[in-house]
Amino acid sequence: MASPPILSLALPSNTGRVLSIQSHTVQGYVGNKSAVFPLQLLGYDVDPINSVQFSNHTGYPTFKGQVLNGQQLLDLIEGLEANNLLYYTHLLTGYIGSVSFLKSVLEVVDKLRSINPNLTYVCDPVMGDEGKLYVPEDLVSVYREKVVPVASMLTPNQFEAELLTKLRIGSETDGRKACKILHAAGPSKVVITSINIDGNLLLIGSHQKDKEQAPEQFKIVLPRIPAYFTGTGDLMTALLLGWSNKYPDNLDKAAELAVSSLQALLQRTLNAYTSAGFDSKSSSLEIRLIQSQDDIRQPKLTFKAHKYS
């Protein structure tokens, strides 16, 4: 008589279980390579789905690899569901390169929420930066009309917030207004991760705890570091997920911790490249993620949020 099959079971996670759908590089830290390890350090179980697998990030002269299509994503979800492995507390998404894949992600959101109605969806709507789109233009309307309404937290940069709200952000007041427009569309938490106002760099955060009340809003002044880093947006969104789940009613506190971690890591990266004799302005720098794990796990609170009245 054959032995019955041994069924494995994913134990419930009292810290949180995150499904992270992002890009993957063999070398370097962008996408899932930049997000998974920090979340694990903060105590989360993280299951990555790699939307692409490339040899390195696309800023290098060449790259090779494979791209996952929307049906392949749904196949993976179907496999998890068939084994009762599809319970997640959080969904995290970053760079998505095609409308078809983004629409499959929306199906994943519906599926996960059918299993856990309290799923938190943290979306980094990666579309471009500094006035330049680096995804097909038709993704913008899908994000605006379909994704924003189902997101719990949104972490755009200034350019992405402008695309989503159709509002030109030229002042702190504009930044705060953009957050309110996004709240009205869906997410209760919005963090515009970098805004350039008159040469000053700011983060503006906004938490609408009740649809009938005005959101609580704050800013954090960011230093300008004379270098370009890759993977920082992916890392920042992961840190915001991690800390905002630990401080669900204090988005300003979560942002302080996330910014403090990130800035310590960037300074360590810059110091390492400078010590090795590299010109930090001549190329993009790969972040020193592993070397900065103490800054991620126990950040020194060096950046403070200033609440708007």
Side-chain angles (χ1 to χ4, degrees):
M1 183 175 175
S3 301
I6 298 173
L7 296 178
S8 59
L9 178 67
L11 292 171
S13 172
N14 56 13
T15 50
R17 187 177 294 281
V18 182
L19 180 65
S20 181
I21 304 175
Q22 299 196 61
S23 58
H24 170 84
T25 56
V26 175
Q27 198 281 332
Y29 295 98
V30 299
N32 270 331
K33 283 284 289 289
S34 190
V36 172
F37 180 62
L39 283 167
Q40 290 171 330
L41 286 177
L42 292 175
Y44 296 86
D45 287 299
V46 189
D47 295 345
I49 291 180
N50 299 325
S51 56
V52 304
Q53 176 166 264
F54 288 160
S55 54
N56 43 267
H57 71 70
T58 56
Y60 283 93
T62 186
F63 64 93
K64 299 285 187 178
Q66 301 81 38
V67 178
L68 197 72
N69 65 40
Q71 186 55 53
Q72 289 168 327
L73 168 63
L74 296 177
D75 286 345
L76 291 171
I77 296 299
E78 189 178 309
L80 291 168
E81 185 181 22
N83 293 298
N84 294 318
L85 298 173
L86 207 54
Y87 182 90
Y88 289 96
T89 58
H90 293 76
L91 172 66
L92 172 62
T93 61
Y95 174 80
I96 292 167
S98 71
V99 168
S100 62
F101 195 89
L102 187 55
K103 287 181 175 177
S104 292
V105 167
L106 286 165
E107 290 186 48
V108 174
V109 176
D110 287 343
K111 175 65 70 176
L112 295 181
R113 286 212 166 118
S114 72
I115 295 167
N116 175 17
N118 296 318
L119 176 90
T120 297
Y121 174 25
V122 178
C123 172
D124 183 5
V126 181
M127 294 181 286
D129 200 6
E130 297 181 350
K132 182 182 176 185
L133 265 180
Y134 39 67
V135 297
E137 194 169 343
D138 48 0
L139 256 78
V140 178
S141 60
V142 180
Y143 269 113
R144 187 189 298 127
E145 297 163 15
K146 304 289 187 183
V147 179
V148 171
V150 298
S152 312
M153 179 193 288
L154 209 63
T155 63
N157 60 30
Q158 180 175 358
F159 177 57
E160 291 157 352
E162 290 175 338
L163 290 173
L164 292 172
T165 60
K166 302 181 181 179
L167 174 71
R168 173 83 176 89
I169 299 174
S171 66
E172 291 182 46
T173 301
D174 292 339
R176 297 176 65 190
K177 184 178 178 182
C179 290
K180 291 176 182 177
I181 293 171
L182 292 169
H183 285 315
S188 61
K189 294 178 181 179
V190 177
V191 178
I192 305 179
T193 53
S194 60
I195 298 181
N196 191 338
I197 303 292
D198 299 325
N200 298 312
L201 205 57
L202 305 174
L203 172 151
I204 291 183
S206 188
H207 186 187
Q208 187 165 36
K209 298 178 180 179
D210 188 320
K211 284 290 185 186
E212 306 304 315
Q213 296 181 334
E216 297 174 6
Q217 297 185 314
F218 61 90
K219 68 176 178 181
I220 299 177
V221 179
L222 305 173
R224 284 193 173 279
I225 298 178
Y228 178 77
F229 306 88
T230 55
T232 55
D234 308 317
L235 173 58
M236 183 63 182
T237 297
L239 292 171
L240 284 167
L241 185 164
W243 288 115
S244 66
N245 190 53
K246 294 175 186 291
Y247 297 97
D249 296 322
N250 294 290
L251 184 59
D252 51 339
K253 172 80 168 177
E256 287 175 345
L257 289 160
V259 168
S260 295
S261 281
L262 180 61
Q263 293 299 324
L265 176 145
L266 295 182
Q267 195 58 56
R268 175 173 281 100
T269 301
L270 184 62
N271 292 345
Y273 274 88
T274 303
S275 298
F278 285 86
D279 178 3
S280 61
K281 298 178 184 177
S282 64
S283 63
S284 61
L285 309 184
E286 296 276 10
I287 56 174
R288 304 287 280 176
L289 187 67
I290 305 304
Q291 295 79 3
S292 303
Q293 56 188 286
D294 290 342
D295 297 314
I296 294 167
R297 195 185 288 111
Q298 295 178 313
K300 294 176 183 174
L301 207 56
T302 49
F303 290 85
K304 294 293 291 180
H306 304 276
K307 293 183 181 181
Y308 292 110
S309 55

